[in-house]
Amino acid sequence: AWRCWGLERNRSWMMTEHEEIATALQLYFDGLYEGDQEKFERIFHENAHLYFHADGAVSDWPRKDYFERIANRASPASQDLARRDRIVFIDVSDDGTAYAKVECQMPPRYFTDYLTLLRDGGRWRIISKTFSTVVREE
């Protein structure tokens, strides 16, 4: 939710980079849960890639391939799966580069995502995603 910080000491009236990134990450979480391509197009940079380790090898998906996978699967929302999104941390290097570790789930799959973000056209966008998955029954 938007909060005005203008009256607090040592804070500007504008959102901090961390707040802006947290807002962008909410778009990412919503896109994942809803399977919403439009939200993914807004948060993922056109040159974004996804990386993961499986069967002893590193895999690389360009954004287009990832979007196809999302479009061809039932969304967690349509399956009424439990939702638990969490930002573990956000590290801002400068006014245009940041890194975030997040967790999300599509039971029985639980994900840890490492997201590199760049400010592009005044907004934060994911340029790379490296993720791991754990499958467990709870």
Side-chain angles (χ1 to χ4, degrees):
W2 172 258
R3 294 178 287 178
C4 181
W5 299 104
L7 300 177
E8 291 185 26
R9 187 179 192 162
N10 299 325
R11 296 291 305 251
S12 75
W13 64 272
M14 297 179 65
M15 280 205 275
T16 67
E17 282 89 2
H18 285 82
E19 291 165 331
E20 289 175 9
I21 293 166
T23 299
L25 292 175
Q26 189 60 53
L27 185 66
Y28 169 69
F29 290 139
D30 291 346
L32 275 175
Y33 188 72
E34 299 162 9
D36 188 323
Q37 291 285 338
E38 188 272 330
K39 288 179 180 176
F40 269 11
E41 287 176 10
R42 287 176 32 211
I43 190 61
F44 278 94
H45 190 276
E46 292 80 10
N47 296 322
H49 279 252
L50 289 80
Y51 304 96
F52 62 99
H53 186 265
D55 301 321
V58 173
S59 292
D60 173 4
W61 294 343
R63 180 180 108 145
K64 179 177 126 333
D65 293 357
Y66 180 53
F67 283 17
E68 286 174 10
R69 289 178 187 271
I70 297 297
N72 292 321
R73 71 161 166 81
S75 73
S78 71
Q79 300 174 65
D80 201 28
L81 295 176
R83 182 172 180 179
R84 190 174 315 137
D85 311 320
R86 181 169 90 98
I87 298 171
V88 178
F89 71 78
I90 296 171
D91 181 10
V92 178
S93 300
D94 59 29
D95 65 355
T97 309
Y99 182 72
K101 178 181 179 181
V102 303
E103 296 174 342
C104 53
Q105 64 183 27
M106 288 182 249
R109 295 181 315 272
Y110 298 82
F111 299 89
T112 301
D113 299 340
Y114 299 92
L115 308 171
T116 303
L117 299 102
L118 298 175
R119 190 185 298 270
D120 179 43
R123 63 189 171 130
W124 289 99
R125 299 186 71 197
I126 298 168
I127 191 68
S128 71
K129 169 181 171 174
T130 302
F131 66 96
S132 66
T133 309
V134 174
V135 177
R136 67 177 183 260
E137 297 298 326
E138 292 191 6

